[in-house]
Amino acid sequence: MVLASSNETYCTVLVSYGDKSFNGNQIKEALEGGKEKDKREAMKKCVYMMLNGEDMSQLFMTIVRYVLPSEDHTIQKLLLLYLEQLQKKDTQGKLLPEMILICQNLRNNLQHPNEYLRGVTLRFLCRIKELEILEPLIPSILSNLEHRHSFVRRAAAMCVKAIYDLFGDQLLPDASEMMLENFLASEQDVSARRNALLMLCTTAPDLAVQYLLSQLDQLPSWPDILQL
């Protein structure tokens, strides 16, 4: 029986990429080329290779320099997929110094005028477990709970829950009360309310019961997604 290495990472999905003629150097050249179309294809190949267990961390600084500034939404989405899979800590369990470079980009995305970019960034942050990356982004994450678009608010509520599940009061000391008093009190989007209520059920059951008791008259008319 072979014991797995403590540094080994696992992938739940293996994506086959038929054309295996490309390599890291070719991807690097395409990213440095300047054309958005070439960058999109290069990032797709990079993500495919990572999903199949290849280490593409050597491209990080190239991606920071040539991909991070891109305004193309597809490239930004592929960038988040790359960052999600990237090894962010060293063998001692400490955050790699270069990871701080992505924090400003993530903050810019959370404040971007395009709601899609805000939403996908919030969903990406749901899967980040590094406190040093999340901590400086908390104000921007919370501000998205009040965004005009329900897609963003929905993702923000989900992100708050994910962060609270990991770090509790350390990063979000008043999260449960904020969800009850501010978010649920005014939110009209059913999915966003469901995400907030789900958080209360797992983090503050007494507040969840308090909210449900205040809504007794309306419970029969709640949509299925809330009643379930």
Side-chain angles (χ1 to χ4, degrees):
M1 179 177 178
V2 179
L3 295 178
S5 166
S6 60
N7 293 325
E8 185 176 350
T9 56
Y10 298 92
C11 178
T12 56
V13 179
L14 292 179
V15 181
S16 174
Y17 52 102
D19 179 12
K20 295 182 175 62
S21 61
F22 54 87
N23 55 43
N25 289 332
Q26 291 173 320
I27 292 175
K28 184 174 184 290
E29 291 175 4
L31 293 174
E32 294 173 348
K35 295 180 180 180
E36 298 289 80
K37 180 181 178 181
D38 293 339
K39 288 182 181 180
R40 282 197 295 270
E41 291 304 312
M43 286 301 296
K44 286 179 183 178
K45 291 175 181 177
C46 180
V47 170
Y48 287 154
M49 292 178 72
M50 292 180 78
L51 286 173
N52 283 273
E54 300 286 343
D55 180 14
M56 305 301 288
S57 58
Q58 74 276 11
L59 292 177
F60 179 74
M61 294 309 299
T62 299
I63 287 173
V64 167
R65 183 175 180 183
Y66 295 99
V67 177
L68 220 61
S70 175
E71 290 293 326
D72 185 276
H73 293 165
T74 301
I75 290 177
Q76 285 295 321
K77 174 67 175 177
L78 291 166
L79 170 63
L80 294 178
L81 291 174
Y82 171 81
L83 294 176
E84 182 182 343
Q85 301 168 72
L86 188 66
Q87 182 63 37
K88 302 172 186 65
K89 294 185 177 181
D90 60 20
T91 55
Q92 304 300 318
K94 295 182 179 179
L95 189 74
L96 295 170
E98 55 266 31
M99 289 299 111
I100 301 302
L101 294 172
I102 70 171
C103 286
Q104 184 58 47
N105 176 260
L106 293 173
R107 184 184 292 108
N108 291 342
N109 283 358
L110 292 172
Q111 299 170 354
H112 199 278
N114 183 274
E115 59 271 8
Y116 170 77
L117 200 51
R118 288 194 186 214
V120 295
T121 302
L122 287 163
R123 292 170 69 90
F124 161 75
L125 291 174
C126 291
R127 298 183 288 275
I128 295 299
K129 297 178 174 58
E130 288 74 27
L131 181 144
E132 299 90 340
I133 294 177
L134 293 170
E135 188 171 19
L137 301 176
I138 293 298
S140 298
I141 292 170
L142 295 179
S143 69
N144 279 292
L145 290 170
E146 302 176 1
H147 193 269
R148 60 180 177 81
H149 202 287
S150 61
F151 172 69
V152 176
R153 298 195 306 274
R154 195 181 310 151
M158 186 166 56
C159 185
V160 168
K161 178 187 182 303
I163 294 174
Y164 194 87
D165 286 345
L166 281 175
F167 300 106
D169 292 338
Q170 183 179 1
L171 289 184
L172 295 165
D174 303 315
S176 299
E177 291 78 4
M178 175 187 61
M179 281 296 186
L180 177 64
E181 297 173 6
N182 299 331
F183 191 75
L184 278 171
S186 58
E187 182 57 54
Q188 299 299 313
D189 181 75
V190 175
S191 295
R193 286 167 61 196
R194 177 191 177 278
N195 289 344
L197 186 56
L198 183 61
M199 174 184 169
L200 286 184
C201 289
T202 56
T203 62
D206 54 331
L207 293 180
V209 171
Q210 178 183 329
Y211 175 72
L212 290 173
L213 290 175
S214 71
Q215 300 289 312
L216 278 179
D217 294 341
Q218 301 178 35
L219 287 181
S221 62
W222 274 16
D224 292 344
I225 191 174
L226 273 178
Q227 294 194 23
L228 291 174

